[in-house]
Coordinates of all heavy atoms in Angstrom, one line a residue:
A204 N 18.3 -17.9 14.1 CA 18.2 -16.9 15.1 C 18.4 -15.5 14.5 O 17.7 -14.5 14.9 CB 19.3 -17.2 16.2
V205 N 19.4 -15.4 13.6 CA 19.6 -14.1 12.9 C 18.4 -13.7 12.0 O 18.0 -12.6 12.0 CB 20.9 -14.2 12.1 CG1 21.1 -12.9 11.2 CG2 22.1 -14.4 13.0
H206 N 17.9 -14.7 11.3 CA 16.7 -14.4 10.5 C 15.5 -13.9 11.4 O 14.8 -13.0 11.0 CB 16.3 -15.7 9.7 CG 17.2 -16.1 8.6 ND1 17.8 -15.1 7.8 CD2 17.6 -17.3 8.2 CE1 18.6 -15.8 6.9 NE2 18.5 -17.1 7.1
A207 N 15.3 -14.6 12.5 CA 14.2 -14.3 13.4 C 14.4 -12.9 14.0 O 13.5 -12.1 14.1 CB 14.1 -15.3 14.5
L208 N 15.7 -12.6 14.3 CA 16.0 -11.3 14.9 C 15.6 -10.2 13.9 O 14.9 -9.2 14.2 CB 17.5 -11.2 15.2 CG 18.0 -9.8 15.6 CD1 17.5 -9.3 16.9 CD2 19.5 -9.7 15.5
R209 N 16.1 -10.4 12.6 CA 15.8 -9.3 11.6 C 14.3 -9.2 11.3 O 13.8 -8.1 11.0 CB 16.6 -9.7 10.4 CG 18.1 -9.4 10.6 CD 19.0 -9.9 9.4 NE 20.4 -9.5 9.6 CZ 21.4 -10.1 9.0 NH1 21.1 -11.1 8.1 NH2 22.6 -9.7 9.3
L210 N 13.6 -10.3 11.4 CA 12.2 -10.3 11.2 C 11.5 -9.5 12.3 O 10.6 -8.6 12.0 CB 11.6 -11.7 11.1 CG 10.1 -11.8 11.0 CD1 9.7 -11.3 9.6 CD2 9.7 -13.3 11.1
L211 N 11.9 -9.7 13.5 CA 11.3 -9.0 14.6 C 11.7 -7.5 14.6 O 10.8 -6.6 14.9 CB 11.8 -9.6 16.0 CG 11.3 -11.0 16.2 CD1 12.1 -11.7 17.3 CD2 9.8 -11.0 16.6
V212 N 12.9 -7.2 14.2 CA 13.3 -5.8 14.1 C 12.5 -5.1 13.1 O 12.1 -3.9 13.3 CB 14.9 -5.7 13.8 CG1 15.2 -4.3 13.4 CG2 15.7 -6.2 15.1
A213 N 12.4 -5.7 11.9 CA 11.6 -5.1 10.8 C 10.2 -4.8 11.3 O 9.6 -3.7 10.9 CB 11.6 -6.0 9.6
F214 N 9.6 -5.8 12.0 CA 8.2 -5.6 12.5 C 8.1 -4.4 13.4 O 7.3 -3.5 13.3 CB 7.7 -6.8 13.2 CG 6.5 -6.6 14.0 CD1 5.3 -6.4 13.4 CD2 6.5 -6.6 15.4 CE1 4.1 -6.1 14.1 CE2 5.4 -6.4 16.1 CZ 4.2 -6.2 15.5
Q215 N 9.1 -4.3 14.4 CA 9.0 -3.3 15.4 C 9.3 -1.9 14.7 O 8.6 -0.9 15.1 CB 10.1 -3.5 16.5 CG 9.7 -4.7 17.4 CD 10.5 -4.8 18.6 OE1 10.2 -4.3 19.6 NE2 11.6 -5.5 18.4
V216 N 10.3 -1.8 13.8 CA 10.6 -0.6 13.2 C 9.4 -0.1 12.4 O 8.9 1.1 12.5 CB 11.8 -0.7 12.2 CG1 11.9 0.6 11.4 CG2 13.1 -0.9 13.1
G217 N 8.8 -1.0 11.6 CA 7.6 -0.6 10.8 C 6.4 -0.2 11.6 O 5.8 0.9 11.4
S218 N 6.1 -0.9 12.6 CA 4.9 -0.6 13.4 C 5.1 0.6 14.3 O 4.2 1.4 14.4 CB 4.6 -1.8 14.3 OG 5.6 -2.1 15.3
L219 N 6.3 0.8 14.8 CA 6.5 2.0 15.6 C 6.6 3.3 14.8 O 6.1 4.3 15.2 CB 7.8 1.9 16.5 CG 7.6 0.9 17.7 CD1 9.0 0.6 18.3 CD2 6.7 1.6 18.7
M220 N 7.2 3.2 13.6 CA 7.3 4.4 12.8 C 5.9 4.8 12.3 O 5.5 6.0 12.3 CB 8.2 4.1 11.6 CG 9.7 4.0 11.9 SD 10.4 5.5 12.4 CE 10.6 6.4 10.9
R221 N 5.1 3.8 12.0 CA 3.7 4.1 11.6 C 2.9 4.7 12.8 O 2.1 5.6 12.7 CB 3.0 2.8 11.2 CG 1.6 3.0 10.7 CD 1.0 1.8 10.0 NE -0.3 2.0 9.5 CZ -1.4 1.8 10.1 NH1 -1.4 1.4 11.4 NH2 -2.6 2.0 9.6
E222 N 3.2 4.2 14.0 CA 2.5 4.7 15.2 C 2.9 6.1 15.5 O 2.1 7.0 15.9 CB 2.8 3.8 16.4 CG 2.1 4.2 17.7 CD 2.2 3.1 18.8 OE1 2.7 2.0 18.5 OE2 1.7 3.4 19.9
F223 N 4.2 6.4 15.4 CA 4.7 7.8 15.6 C 4.0 8.8 14.8 O 3.8 9.9 15.2 CB 6.2 7.9 15.4 CG 7.0 7.1 16.4 CD1 8.3 6.7 16.1 CD2 6.5 6.9 17.7 CE1 9.1 6.0 17.0 CE2 7.3 6.2 18.6 CZ 8.6 5.8 18.3
H224 N 3.7 8.4 13.5 CA 3.2 9.4 12.5 C 1.7 9.3 12.3 O 1.1 10.0 11.5 CB 3.9 9.2 11.2 CG 5.3 9.5 11.3 ND1 5.8 10.8 11.2 CD2 6.5 8.8 11.4 CE1 7.1 10.9 11.3 NE2 7.5 9.6 11.4
S225 N 1.0 8.4 13.1 CA -0.4 8.3 12.9 C -1.2 9.4 13.6 O -0.7 9.9 14.6 CB -0.9 7.0 13.5 OG -0.9 7.0 14.9
P226 N -2.3 9.8 13.1 CA -3.1 10.9 13.7 C -3.6 10.5 15.1 O -3.6 11.3 16.0 CB -4.3 11.0 12.8 CG -3.9 10.5 11.5 CD -2.9 9.4 11.8
A227 N -3.9 9.2 15.3 CA -4.3 8.8 16.6 C -3.2 8.9 17.7 O -3.5 9.2 18.9 CB -4.7 7.3 16.6
F228 N -2.0 8.8 17.3 CA -0.9 8.9 18.3 C -0.7 10.4 18.7 O -0.5 10.7 19.8 CB 0.4 8.5 17.6 CG 1.6 8.6 18.6 CD1 1.8 7.6 19.6 CD2 2.5 9.6 18.5 CE1 2.9 7.7 20.4 CE2 3.6 9.7 19.3 CZ 3.8 8.7 20.3
R229 N -0.9 11.3 17.7 CA -0.8 12.7 18.0 C -2.0 13.3 18.8 O -1.9 14.4 19.3 CB -0.6 13.5 16.7 CG 0.7 13.2 16.0 CD 1.0 14.2 14.9 NE 0.0 14.2 13.9 CZ 0.0 13.4 12.8 NH1 1.0 12.5 12.6 NH2 -0.9 13.4 11.9
G230 N -3.1 12.5 18.8 CA -4.3 13.0 19.4 C -5.3 13.6 18.5 O -4.9 14.5 17.7
E231 N -6.5 13.2 18.5 CA -7.5 13.8 17.6 C -8.8 13.6 18.2 O -9.1 12.7 19.1 CB -7.5 13.1 16.2 CG -7.7 11.6 16.2 CD -7.6 11.0 14.9 OE1 -7.5 11.7 13.9 OE2 -7.8 9.8 14.8
D232 N -9.8 14.4 17.9 CA -11.1 14.3 18.5 C -12.0 13.4 17.6 O -11.6 12.9 16.6 CB -11.8 15.7 18.6 CG -11.8 16.5 17.2 OD1 -11.9 15.8 16.2 OD2 -11.7 17.7 17.2
E233 N -13.2 13.1 18.2 CA -14.1 12.2 17.5 C -14.5 12.7 16.1 O -14.8 11.8 15.3 CB -15.3 11.9 18.4 CG -15.0 11.2 19.7 CD -16.2 10.9 20.5 OE1 -17.3 11.2 20.1 OE2 -16.0 10.4 21.7
S234 N -14.6 14.0 16.0 CA -15.1 14.5 14.7 C -14.1 14.1 13.6 O -14.5 13.8 12.4 CB -15.2 16.0 14.7 OG -14.0 16.6 15.0
A235 N -12.8 14.1 13.9 CA -11.8 13.7 12.9 C -12.0 12.2 12.5 O -11.8 11.8 11.3 CB -10.4 13.9 13.4
V236 N -12.3 11.4 13.5 CA -12.5 9.9 13.2 C -13.8 9.8 12.3 O -13.8 9.0 11.4 CB -12.7 9.2 14.5 CG1 -13.0 7.7 14.3 CG2 -11.4 9.2 15.4
R237 N -14.8 10.5 12.7 CA -16.1 10.4 11.9 C -15.8 10.9 10.4 O -16.3 10.3 9.5 CB -17.2 11.2 12.5 CG -17.7 10.7 13.8 CD -19.1 11.3 14.1 NE -18.9 12.7 14.4 CZ -18.6 13.3 15.5 NH1 -18.4 12.5 16.6 NH2 -18.5 14.6 15.7
E238 N -15.0 11.9 10.3 CA -14.8 12.4 8.9 C -14.0 11.4 8.1 O -14.3 11.2 6.9 CB -14.0 13.7 9.0 CG -13.6 14.3 7.7 CD -12.8 15.6 7.8 OE1 -12.7 16.1 9.0 OE2 -12.4 16.1 6.8
R239 N -13.0 10.7 8.8 CA -12.2 9.7 8.1 C -13.1 8.5 7.7 O -13.0 8.0 6.6 CB -11.0 9.3 9.0 CG -10.1 8.3 8.3 CD -8.7 8.3 8.9 NE -8.8 7.9 10.3 CZ -8.5 8.7 11.3 NH1 -8.2 10.0 11.1 NH2 -8.6 8.3 12.6
E240 N -14.0 8.2 8.6 CA -14.9 7.0 8.3 C -15.8 7.4 7.1 O -16.0 6.5 6.3 CB -15.7 6.7 9.6 CG -16.7 5.6 9.3 CD -17.5 5.2 10.6 OE1 -17.1 5.7 11.7 OE2 -18.6 4.6 10.4
E241 N -16.3 8.6 7.1 CA -17.2 9.0 6.0 C -16.4 9.0 4.7 O -17.0 8.6 3.6 CB -17.8 10.4 6.3 CG -18.8 10.4 7.4 CD -19.2 11.8 7.8 OE1 -18.7 12.8 7.2 OE2 -20.0 12.0 8.7

């Protein structure tokens, strides 16, 4: 149970921190997406 808890916490911390700092979270237009794809 403790191992599972720490695994779930690590996943949530990592995914949310990445989401907070991603360009998509802050908002961006389609031109930025096209530029990144290119």
Side-chain angles (χ1 to χ4, degrees):
V205 172
H206 290 320
L208 169 72
R209 288 173 175 160
L210 179 64
L211 291 164
V212 168
F214 165 70
Q215 290 190 92
V216 170
S218 62
L219 283 169
M220 290 294 280
R221 183 171 184 270
E222 185 168 356
F223 290 156
H224 293 282
S225 74
F228 181 78
R229 295 192 298 270
E231 59 181 357
D232 54 32
E233 293 183 2
S234 62
V236 176
R237 288 196 299 270
E238 181 179 352
R239 187 160 57 249
E240 180 179 343
E241 291 172 359

